[in-house]
Amino acid sequence: MIVYGTRSKELSKEHLVDKCPNCGTHNSVDVYVFQKYAHVFWIPLFPMSKIGVSECSHCKQVVRSKEMSSTLKSNFEEIKSRVKTPIWTFSGLALIAIIITVGFISDKKKDERNAQWILTPQAGDFFEVRTDTRQYTLFKVDQVEGDSVFIRMSSYETNKISGLTDLKKKEFSEDVFGFAKSELQDMLGKGEIIDIERK
Ligand SMILES: [Zn+2]
């Protein structure tokens, strides 16, 4: 379950010299400015509008910004224009940007590592392979001799990448199939080999 919605935080409280529109008392009205923001799991995601209320300490009347009279409203607008949107209201967006960036960097590192490993395979390496029928299976490097890479193929396929972990423990072909390193490099380039795992 994802908890999300809007919250608000008091940014400013100012005392008005003008009289209260309800009871006519001078110097009795406070105006509050709140920052509304969207949150996910209470982490501020991005700022929304600024809202406010006025409160008279004499007659206790509370008026929300939407319902303010024009004088009160212009006072509120003036105060609001001086209150800056706090930067912390963008925390969630900043966090998402960081996660995406880190994801990009680690993907790039993985690509570089695979490009290197495909040309320097070692016995025991697993190649994760996407089949023509959109299934996933494993190649296990049995032996490397010069440019030739001898591979045992998993006897099983799975429809999810996450299922490949199980396949490592299951049986592989008795027969060994020879590939040239360039062939394997080609398969990696085409996305037929999607990842390499080395102990
Ligand atoms: Zn009042």
Side-chain angles (χ1 to χ4, degrees), residues 20 22-23 28 56 58-59:
C20 168
N22 188 46
C23 67
S28 67
C56 174
H58 188 253
C59 70

Side-chain angles (χ1 to χ4, degrees), residues 6-35:
T6 61
R7 306 188 87 198
S8 52
K9 159 95 179 158
E10 186 186 317
L11 295 183
S12 165
K13 175 191 175 185
E14 288 198 25
H15 199 65
L16 291 191
V17 183
D18 284 1
K19 63 179 183 183
C20 168
N22 188 46
C23 67
T25 311
H26 283 272
N27 255 320
S28 67
V29 178
D30 286 320
V31 172
Y32 297 83
V33 178
F34 294 90
Q35 177 68 56

Side-chain angles (χ1 to χ4, degrees), residues 126 128 138 140 154 163-172 197 199:
F126 288 106
E128 298 182 359
L138 287 178
K140 188 177 183 181
S154 171
L164 289 173
T165 312
D166 278 346
L167 262 56
K168 281 180 205 156
K169 296 170 218 145
K170 292 187 174 178
E171 68 189 41
F172 283 79
E197 209 173 300
K199 276 180 193 164

